[in-house]
Every structure is written in structure tokens, then in C-alpha cells.
Amino acid sequence: MRKKKREDAKEKMELKEKMGELEKKLKSAEEETSKVKIQKLEIEKEADKKQLEAYQKVVETTEQSLEFLREKEELQRLILDLLNKMAGLEARVPQ
């Protein structure tokens, strides 16, 4: 009976030690998981930042293109006005 109690006590101690080790491993794994999650969030944040910069560049380029097209349209209007004036002057000049 005493031997059985000693064996049971020994087995109980071994189980407590294993449980302690497993708890340490679990805590370590949870910490590692948290680190990985933080890294993932940082990577996603950086990717979002890069994507925003790319979108801002697209908007900037589009605005420049629109400004160029507005200037081109204005120049075409001026050329058309000049051509109309020249045509009007030619019509008044006797042949």
C-alpha cells in the first residue's frame, strides 16, 4: 500500500512537471503567435501605405493630364479664333 502511494505521488509529481512544461510551451506559443500577428499587421499597414501612395500618384498624374488637356483645348480655341479672324480679313480684302 505504501509502495502504491509512493508510486501515485511520484506519478502525480511527474504529471505536474509535465503540465508545467506544457503550460510554458503554450505561453511561448501564444507569445510567438502574438508576435506574428503584430508583424502581419505591420506588413499590412506598410502595404496599405504603399497602395495609398500609388493611388495618390495616379490622382496626381490624372490631374496633370486634365490640366494639359484644358490647356490644349484653350490653345485650339485660340487657333480657331485666329483662323476665323484671318478668314474674315481675307473676305474683306479685294481680289
Side-chain angles (χ1 to χ4, degrees), residues 22-46:
L22 289 173
E23 285 174 347
K24 285 180 185 178
K25 286 181 180 180
L26 176 63
K27 185 178 179 182
S28 176
E30 288 171 343
E31 289 173 356
E32 196 62 34
T33 299
S34 293
K35 287 178 187 177
V36 169
K37 286 180 180 178
I38 290 169
Q39 288 175 341
K40 181 183 176 201
L41 290 173
E42 289 172 348
I43 290 169
E44 288 173 352
K45 181 180 175 183
E46 188 64 27

Side-chain angles (χ1 to χ4, degrees), residues 1 24 37 41 43 45 64 71 81 84 87 92 95:
M1 185 101 167
K24 285 180 185 178
K37 286 180 180 178
L41 290 173
I43 290 169
K45 181 180 175 183
Q64 290 172 348
E71 290 173 2
D81 287 346
N84 286 335
R92 287 193 231 159
Q95 299 274 335

Side-chain angles (χ1 to χ4, degrees), residues 62-78:
T62 302
E63 288 172 348
Q64 290 172 348
S65 295
L66 285 171
E67 182 61 28
F68 170 77
L69 290 172
R70 285 185 193 109
E71 290 173 2
K72 181 181 173 186
E73 183 181 25
E74 181 62 27
L75 286 173
Q76 287 173 336
R77 238 185 260 123
L78 290 172

